[in-house]
Amino acid sequence: MLVPKLRFKEFKDEYKTYKLNDIVDFYKGNTLSKSDIKLNGNFPCILYGELYTKYNEITNKIISYTDRNDKNLFYSKINDVLIPCSGETALDISTSTCVLQNNVIIGGDLNVLRPKAQNGKYLSYLLSNKKKLVIAKYAQGDSIVHLYGEKIKNININLPTIEEQEKVSKLLEVLNRKIEIKKRKVETLKIYKMGLIKEVLNSSNKCKFGKLQTICQNLVSNITLSDIKSDTSTYKIYGATGAIGNMSKYTLNKPYIAIIKDGAGVGKSFICEPFSSFLSTLIGLIPQNCTIEYLKIVLDNINFSKYTVGSTIPHIYFKDFKNEIVKILPYDEQIKISNISNNINLKIDMSEQKLKLFQKMKKSLLQQMLI
């Protein structure tokens, strides 16, 4: 039987298979450019580029507005499903959103799928996830890929009854709201932390960065740059079987900060636990006249791009940024601001863990409830 792995217990009927062309009418948006967007515009609108960054499978709130209202524009109807006509990669444009509002101006380079009798929200979840790779196969082009409505009309779509579509969509919407709430909380905490740090640094005394620490270099461990996550401020460094240089000379018996000195992550820093070695692609710093947490705050506010050299592989060297003028608080105030910063980081970590849990749950439901 054509049924999903997971479904609400009250539904027993087998899913039916349709051609996409049987269940939607195809349209295209009309010309609308970024220059038409107005901060205080009167009419809601959607540009094709926004589908990649600003909307998920369901569009409850329109972000952009314009003052254009000429006759040539294309307007949405509630339940419309939008798919980009062009983008950088096939997977980029294999995404969709269901518009839950009438009379939204739909920009050019957007396919508009108008369901005849189906639930647009369910269809959008299905197309953006279970059918993503199928749709991607119909994208054409190299540097810029295109997706034409004519090409995807014959895709097979498996659908339950409209009642089951609506119930599944509501469940996924609940998860989407939880995900968005957690995202906003994480961003709010990060903005609050940035504002707090900026205020503290503005009230601090100045000194050269080189006065705050000593430097350790040219040791190696079995950690790789791919182990350093973009959202991680602390990381445990594991030992290696060998090292370059005199091991006893470079033994790190206290926490230290490592800075990536080569490659795409150049300038990123993280706090490390005591150990005897680390990657030769890192710069190691041990604070002398400040707390390690405050040193991390100072590093996060240095613009390392102005010290970067090299075109193919970027590098930074300690000798180039050691004379950077930084701001320093009295030691007791450093401890206070470090504690506050750590508490905020803890809240951010907890929110991000819950966010990942909701995202994992949504992914699982999409895989098991849609076919």
Side-chain angles (χ1 to χ4, degrees), residues 310-323:
S311 54
T312 306
I313 300 177
H315 309 275
I316 54 171
Y317 299 99
F318 177 73
K319 64 181 179 62
D320 293 326
F321 66 84
K322 70 177 182 180
N323 290 323

Side-chain angles (χ1 to χ4, degrees), residues 21-83:
N21 192 42
D22 296 332
I23 60 174
V24 303
D25 291 319
F26 284 84
Y27 301 93
K28 275 196 67 175
N30 213 335
T31 305
L32 190 73
S33 66
K34 287 184 178 180
S35 61
D36 293 318
I37 303 301
K38 305 297 180 184
L39 183 61
N40 296 310
N42 293 304
F43 308 106
C45 60
I46 297 177
L47 298 176
Y48 87 95
E50 295 175 335
L51 261 68
Y52 311 124
T53 57
K54 297 183 178 180
Y55 296 110
N56 55 32
E57 297 97 338
I58 307 298
T59 296
N60 290 296
K61 183 180 179 181
I62 305 302
I63 296 169
S64 298
Y65 284 79
T66 182
D67 283 331
R68 282 189 58 185
N69 64 346
D70 46 276
K71 295 180 181 179
N72 294 327
L73 297 174
F74 186 91
Y75 293 88
S76 73
K77 287 187 177 180
I78 291 176
N79 213 36
D80 279 352
V81 177
L82 309 181
I83 300 178

Side-chain angles (χ1 to χ4, degrees), residues 90-109:
L91 284 178
D92 277 345
I93 60 178
S94 303
T95 187
S96 65
T97 189
C98 178
V99 183
L100 301 182
Q101 189 173 327
N102 283 321
N103 299 318
V104 177
I105 299 171
I106 307 301
D109 255 5

